[in-house]
Amino acid sequence: MMSQEQNDLITRTGPKDPCGKLMRMYWQPAALLDELEGPRPVRPVKLLGEDLVLFRDAQGGYGLIERHCAHRGADLAFGRLEHGGLRCAFHGWLFDSSGQCLETPAEPVGSKLCQGIRQRAYPVVEKGGILWAYLGEGEPPAFPEIDCFVAPGSHTFAFKGHIGCNWLQALEVGIDPSHASFLHRFFEDEDTSAGYGKQFRGASAGTDLPMTKILREYDRPIINVEQTEYGLRLIALREIDDERTHVRVTNQLFPHAFVIPMNTEMTITQWHVPVDDENCYWYAIFTSYAAPVDKQKMREQRLELYELPDYVSRKNKANDYGFDPHEQQTATYTGMGTDINVHDQWAVESMGPIQDRTREHLGTADKAIVQYRRLLRQEIEKASKGEKPFMFLDASHARSIQGPATMDGIGPTRGWETFWMEVDVKRRRGAPWAAPVPEEIADAVPHLRVV
């Protein structure tokens, strides 16, 4: 358990909050690139508690500026895209992507009022199908050269979904290996050949055992947590018998992302981004090491649950997440259907808008959560002192943050330590794009360093 003060410290991300200062030192997902498609590329965005408007100008550049006009506060999300910027529909004031006011047409001819008017604005870049914003001061950090940023666009797919709770409890589901044996338990196994685009529905590497069967029957994993140069590595071991052990390797990418295997050919890199203290979006980039991603199928699958334009789940608190007591008895552990995003959403939203950690009781299986919170508090303190926090990267250091390695498969009970690395390296070496082998993995399995 922790005090209320400690809980506030690690959850609240407003402009004046210590954790908010830390989060503003990293690039944040602001929107999917898809959201600015169409004839009017303008979207309201709320990010880290700030009300903003995102737009693409006539030159193809992106602007992210304060949502309420500097004149008299009208909503720029309804502005007109004209003359290289966004024009307020109230009195015609025009702002460019840097926030500079270019015209104040209602003023007398020759007025220079616009020269001293500037909206708060933030830089925006596109990477991996996501538009990223930097809300901090000074020069932004470099992006790490992780797989989802290195892979070609043909082998990645980006999507997002809204969750009605604080970002931290949403993130912590992704660094909790044991919950999958319960929250995502299926009583019957499906044909794994039909598992494309679905998490936990295929077979693990090196076996025809469905992942659903492994999670259901081996529900007491041994969890190892290692510190890495990017955050934490989690290794969950489920011993099948004396000869075979299921090994699942996932990663926490500081500050608020995780990287997990989706199946033998694809990983998910997912960020949990604060909208405000009581709402967040998950942004995910799916990366394939084999065939190009079937983007249409992936998108259609997810749009069965998420409703545009705000990517809100059709199953939610208002309709009890589709809960069916008969299904809970016969088919799934939750009774909330087969989409694990619904399961996760129910779990974290049911904790309340901001989880009350003064009342929780952590166990051995929560060791990654304990270590992450310790790291988060440490870096909040650094940022509060004006120091550069962990993973605030310069260009040279960014090139060394690669991978990270993931794996989901059946390996030897004795020797799993190098087995999972070998599986990851072989997958990278066989990829149709230049998937880098992280140096620490290459050093551990030198016989696979060169094809």
Side-chain angles (χ1 to χ4, degrees):
M1 291 187 287
M2 61 174 62
S3 69
Q4 186 59 52
E5 183 181 15
Q6 291 172 324
N7 196 34
D8 288 343
L9 177 70
I10 60 176
T11 57
R12 297 191 178 276
T13 58
K16 297 182 180 179
D17 295 314
C19 190
K21 182 173 183 179
L22 174 71
M23 288 298 181
R24 283 165 174 76
M25 299 185 76
Y26 302 94
W27 288 100
Q28 298 287 340
L32 296 173
L33 187 61
D34 291 348
E35 293 183 77
L36 262 67
E37 295 298 318
R40 187 175 181 274
V42 181
R43 284 286 297 166
V45 169
K46 191 166 187 178
L47 184 59
L48 298 176
E50 298 189 34
D51 288 308
L52 308 166
V53 61
L54 175 68
F55 65 94
R56 186 178 68 243
D57 62 27
Q59 291 73 43
Y62 296 101
L64 182 66
I65 65 177
E66 187 176 359
R67 182 168 177 174
H68 297 285
C69 179
H71 182 204
R72 286 170 58 191
D75 190 350
L76 288 173
F78 294 89
R80 301 170 58 88
L81 282 171
E82 297 181 344
H83 304 293
L86 186 64
R87 190 183 295 278
C88 181
F90 193 10
H91 291 89
W93 285 27
L94 178 68
F95 300 91
D96 67 14
S97 60
S98 74
Q100 178 62 51
C101 183
L102 303 178
E103 297 178 6
T104 54
E107 292 298 301
V109 174
S111 170
K112 296 182 179 180
L113 176 63
C114 64
Q115 296 178 7
I117 304 295
R118 181 180 288 272
Q119 290 282 103
R120 187 170 70 254
Y122 300 113
V124 176
V125 298
E126 187 276 326
K127 213 165 184 64
I130 294 174
L131 294 170
W132 300 75
Y134 180 66
L135 275 61
E137 300 177 357
E139 284 296 313
F143 282 89
E145 293 194 359
I146 56 177
D147 293 337
C148 64
F149 296 150
V150 174
S154 58
H155 285 69
T156 63
F157 168 72
F159 201 76
K160 75 177 191 179
H162 178 268
I163 302 179
C165 71
N166 184 258
W167 71 276
L168 182 58
Q169 64 215 58
L171 168 70
E172 287 179 342
V173 170
I175 53 174
D176 174 6
S178 63
H179 86 276
S181 286
F182 302 95
L183 186 66
H184 305 316
R185 179 177 297 189
F186 296 82
F187 299 146
E188 298 291 338
D189 303 315
E190 299 177 356
D191 180 0
T192 58
S193 65
Y196 184 85
K198 302 175 183 178
Q199 194 177 352
F200 296 137
R201 310 294 273 286
S204 289
T207 179
D208 57 1
L209 282 176
M211 187 63 186
T212 49
K213 180 180 178 68
I214 294 169
L215 292 176
R216 182 176 64 246
E217 297 186 3
Y218 305 93
D219 57 9
R220 295 179 184 267
I222 297 171
I223 301 170
N224 296 328
V225 183
E226 304 170 358
Q227 292 188 348
T228 66
E229 63 178 342
Y230 51 80
L232 302 172
R233 178 184 297 119
L234 287 64
I235 303 177
L237 305 171
R238 289 174 165 86
E239 186 173 318
I240 308 299
D241 51 41
D242 288 344
E243 301 297 325
R244 300 175 301 159
T245 289
H246 177 261
V247 185
R248 182 171 171 83
V249 180
T250 62
N251 304 274
Q252 194 286 310
L253 184 66
F254 197 81
H256 54 6
F258 53 77
V259 186
I260 59 177
M262 181 175 179
N263 52 40
T264 57
E265 299 179 352
M266 198 176 295
T267 60
I268 306 171
T269 307
Q270 185 162 306
W271 292 262
H272 285 272
V273 184
V275 172
D276 52 32
D277 290 340
E278 298 185 355
N279 294 272
C280 64
Y281 274 106
W282 60 260
Y283 282 82
I285 301 178
F286 301 80
T287 306
S288 173
Y289 300 86
V293 176
D294 187 339
K295 296 177 189 282
Q296 181 176 348
K297 183 171 184 177
M298 294 278 281
R299 182 174 173 82
E300 288 174 354
Q301 285 176 336
R302 281 147 188 81
L303 287 179
E304 290 177 8
L305 176 63
Y306 291 100
E307 190 169 7
L308 301 180
D310 296 321
Y311 295 81
V312 174
S313 174
R314 290 181 170 87
K315 291 187 176 182
N316 52 57
K317 186 177 181 179
N319 55 29
D320 291 335
Y321 304 90
F323 177 71
D324 179 345
H326 177 69
E327 179 195 309
Q328 190 178 52
Q329 289 294 318
T330 60
T332 68
Y333 202 75
T334 62
M336 298 176 187
T338 59
D339 193 320
I340 70 166
N341 289 292
V342 178
H343 308 165
D344 287 340
Q345 182 181 349
W346 163 80
V348 298
E349 290 185 349
S350 69
M351 299 173 185
I354 303 177
Q355 181 192 351
D356 183 359
R357 292 175 179 79
T358 67
R359 302 179 63 185
E360 71 178 359
H361 298 80
L362 300 182
T364 303
D366 301 306
K367 61 177 65 176
I369 291 171
V370 172
Q371 290 200 36
Y372 171 73
R373 291 179 188 175
R374 184 181 300 128
L375 176 60
L376 180 60
R377 289 194 300 269
Q378 170 187 298
E379 300 311 310
I380 289 172
E381 184 176 355
K382 277 188 190 177
S384 296
K385 292 178 179 178
E387 301 174 10
K388 289 183 178 180
F390 182 49
M391 284 291 286
F392 185 95
L393 305 172
D394 59 30
S396 60
H397 189 194
R399 287 192 291 271
S400 71
I401 307 296
Q402 297 180 330
T406 67
M407 209 282 285
D408 185 322
I410 303 291
T413 298
R414 294 170 184 80
W416 63 263
E417 296 89 345
T418 56
F419 165 77
W420 72 264
M421 299 183 194
E422 292 171 350
V423 170
D424 182 75
V425 173
K426 287 179 179 178
R427 178 175 62 179
R428 293 173 180 280
R429 292 305 188 200
W433 51 276
V437 177
E439 192 66 29
E440 60 173 338
I441 305 301
D443 289 342
V445 283
H447 61 287
L448 290 176
R449 179 187 291 271
V450 180
V451 177

